[in-house]
Amino acid sequence: MSAKNAFYAQSGGVTAVINASACGVIETARRHPDRIAKVYAGRNGIIGALTEDLIDTSLESDEAIAALRYTPAGAFGSCRYKLKSLEANRREYERLIEVFKAHDIGYFFYNGGGDSADTCYKVSQLSAGLGYPVQAIHVPKTVDNDLPITDNCPGFGSVAKYIATSALEASYDVRSMAKTSTKVFILEVMGRHAGWIAAAGGLIEDQGIPVVILFPEIEFDQERFLAAVKSRVEQYGYCTVVVSEGAKYADGRFLAEQGTRDAFGHAQLGGAAPVVANMIKEGLGYKFHWAVADYLQRAARHLASKTDVEQAYAMGRAAVELALAGHNAVMPTVKRISHDPYAWEVGEAPLSEVANVEKFMPREFISEDGFGITPACKQYLIPLIQGEDYPPFERGLPKYVTLKNTPVERKLGAFEL
């Protein structure tokens, strides 16, 4: 059997370690030239496949590919572009197969979250029906940590480490100033429907920091929230609030909802931190400062979790190994073996059970009052933020890699998105 080419694409919001997965895919493929000829990457994610804007990664040096392991963001560009259902827009799926066929692509590695898992699954189903079977393997990635079956998602551990560290450091600052100035610091974090990132802020409790967490899973009650903040300020003199962007009222409205939608059809959120800060000012009269972690939390490769980096690389490597073993429509997973000492291994999940399924914070991970995390949650989180994996530094700054990203010559006509 002659070697086929592979297609790799990054999807959705990028992370501090998604390039480590890319590194795992490309380096593993290079070790099997008899099975995988070249790895093409999609420029700006799946859009690159639809528009036949492919990147030839074989023209990158081994050193450049290895440097992806410690470079944040998406080296080939990502996108928020959700393919509709087969029934609603079959032409896009047929276009993917047409491009794959034109460039002799037999392997499809899609690195993303739940929406990309769905796309990957549909491609695996459709390709055989169109007479050009493609092995479609999903590579898990999401800072939200909301993919099912896998114990955790690459990208989350590093965000959790960043949020816990930032909340801890800011809390020390507020504690220093609380006597005559700021008494409450509010940190807004990502997490539209699942509060995993917000939960990481709760780890600072073990260092004596008074913290209130607002989870998407717990209906927001303003009166109870203000009472919780007031009691902590009265006891400690200050308080830190970690609020998920997805915190919502009992009727389902987000605290920060703007009334608009993003490319995936999700509600566009405009900032929960200032909303909460104003409640505190008007209800309690405390001086406050607020911050939105935004891109900083997912781009902070300088503070990446070593566990996260290793798992991200392992998922990329495992995706190729699964494909070479003949698997299709699957996703490699992180399977936890033990908490302490922490141990894990690579597992496998069918995409039929992954696509369009979200994993939320279990109630037993959230304290009884709804404003903190339990020992069980800490037991889950702590191993994921363990270890440091610093990038090389040059003249005081991280030394990251920018690839050449040489385009592959087009063979087909233009395609309208």
Side-chain angles (χ1 to χ4, degrees):
M1 184 175 64
S2 60
K4 290 276 190 179
N5 295 320
F7 175 77
Y8 168 82
Q10 298 172 323
S11 174
V14 292
T15 78
V17 300
I18 188 174
N19 283 335
S21 292
C23 180
V25 167
I26 296 169
E27 286 189 341
T28 306
R30 287 184 175 187
R31 288 194 287 270
H32 298 275
D34 57 321
R35 301 285 301 280
I36 301 177
K38 291 184 177 183
V39 176
Y40 294 143
R43 194 184 307 276
N44 301 318
I46 200 69
I47 288 176
L50 292 169
T51 60
E52 202 188 358
D53 192 358
L54 309 181
I55 293 167
D56 189 349
T57 70
S58 71
L59 300 179
E60 306 289 347
S61 68
D62 288 345
E63 293 74 18
I65 296 301
L68 289 177
R69 187 176 176 125
Y70 55 76
T71 298
F76 309 107
S78 186
C79 66
R80 292 193 183 279
Y81 187 85
K82 183 177 181 179
L83 274 68
K84 298 176 183 176
S85 67
L86 285 170
E87 296 75 23
N89 198 358
R90 187 180 178 89
R91 64 184 283 273
E92 288 187 334
Y93 292 93
E94 291 178 342
R95 170 67 174 187
L96 287 178
I97 304 305
E98 182 184 25
V99 171
F100 290 168
K101 189 173 183 179
H103 293 274
D104 197 27
I105 292 169
Y107 306 96
F108 174 32
F109 302 108
Y110 204 13
N111 201 172
D115 289 322
S116 56
D118 180 56
T119 296
C120 203
Y121 181 52
K122 287 172 180 172
V123 168
S124 70
Q125 291 180 304
L126 181 65
S127 62
L130 292 177
Y132 188 78
V134 173
Q135 285 176 258
I137 312 293
H138 186 247
V139 186
K141 173 263 2 168
T142 172
V143 298
D144 290 335
N145 199 40
D146 59 357
L147 288 174
I149 303 176
T150 185
D151 176 75
N152 58 281
C153 304
F156 169 69
S158 294
V159 169
K161 189 180 185 78
Y162 178 87
I163 291 302
T165 301
S166 298
L168 178 64
E169 292 173 341
S171 296
Y172 270 59
D173 189 305
V174 174
R175 186 172 65 186
S176 302
M177 304 300 298
K179 184 66 176 178
T180 60
S181 184
T182 305
K183 293 190 182 301
V184 181
F185 174 70
I186 303 109
L187 179 62
E188 179 180 334
V189 303
M190 291 178 174
R192 182 175 301 272
H193 299 297
W196 296 103
I197 299 176
L203 293 173
I204 66 176
E205 288 178 330
D206 290 345
Q207 298 206 31
I209 305 297
V211 61
V212 173
I213 306 172
L214 299 180
F215 299 98
E217 291 89 349
I218 302 295
E219 295 176 354
F220 180 74
D221 182 311
Q222 184 171 337
E223 184 177 342
R224 290 186 62 253
F225 165 66
L226 291 177
V229 172
K230 186 173 186 287
S231 68
R232 285 160 176 77
V233 172
E234 289 180 346
Q235 181 178 355
Y236 296 92
Y238 72 103
C239 176
T240 291
V241 176
V242 180
V243 54
S244 169
E245 65 177 349
K248 54 185 178 292
Y249 297 101
D251 63 5
R253 287 181 300 117
F254 292 106
L255 269 64
E257 192 162 339
Q258 294 178 314
T260 55
R261 301 275 165 179
D262 66 13
F264 284 118
H266 303 142
Q268 194 77 42
L269 307 184
V275 172
V276 169
N278 285 329
M279 288 180 186
I280 291 171
K281 178 183 178 181
E282 294 173 3
L284 300 173
Y286 296 144
K287 290 184 179 180
F288 63 83
H289 272 271
W290 61 265
V292 181
D294 201 50
Y295 279 18
L296 298 175
Q297 65 199 295
R298 74 185 197 196
R301 180 58 184 82
H302 68 286
L303 194 60
S305 154
K306 184 177 182 180
T307 298
D308 195 27
V309 175
E310 291 174 348
Q311 291 178 344
Y313 184 90
M315 293 299 100
R317 180 184 61 213
V320 176
E321 292 172 345
L322 285 168
L324 294 178
H327 295 262
N328 192 14
V330 297
M331 179 185 79
T333 63
V334 176
K335 184 178 180 181
R336 186 177 298 217
I337 299 172
S338 62
H339 295 294
D340 187 16
Y342 177 59
W344 63 279
E345 63 184 10
V346 175
E348 176 187 343
L351 288 183
S352 60
E353 297 179 15
V354 175
N356 298 313
V357 179
E358 284 184 291
K359 178 178 69 179
F360 303 104
M361 282 272 293
R363 189 61 181 86
E364 60 266 26
F365 276 15
I366 301 173
S367 61
E368 188 175 348
D369 67 1
F371 294 127
I373 59 175
T374 62
C377 184
K378 293 175 184 178
Q379 183 182 56
Y380 170 80
L381 290 173
I382 288 172
L384 305 183
I385 67 171
Q386 290 301 304
E388 289 67 52
D389 191 274
Y390 299 118
F393 278 73
E394 184 175 83
R395 300 180 67 184
L397 291 174
K399 186 180 179 182
Y400 297 137
V401 68
T402 298
L403 302 180
K404 294 181 291 186
N405 285 347
T406 305
V408 177
E409 184 178 352
R410 286 182 167 91
K411 299 181 179 181
L412 303 172
F415 182 81
E416 188 80 22
L417 292 175

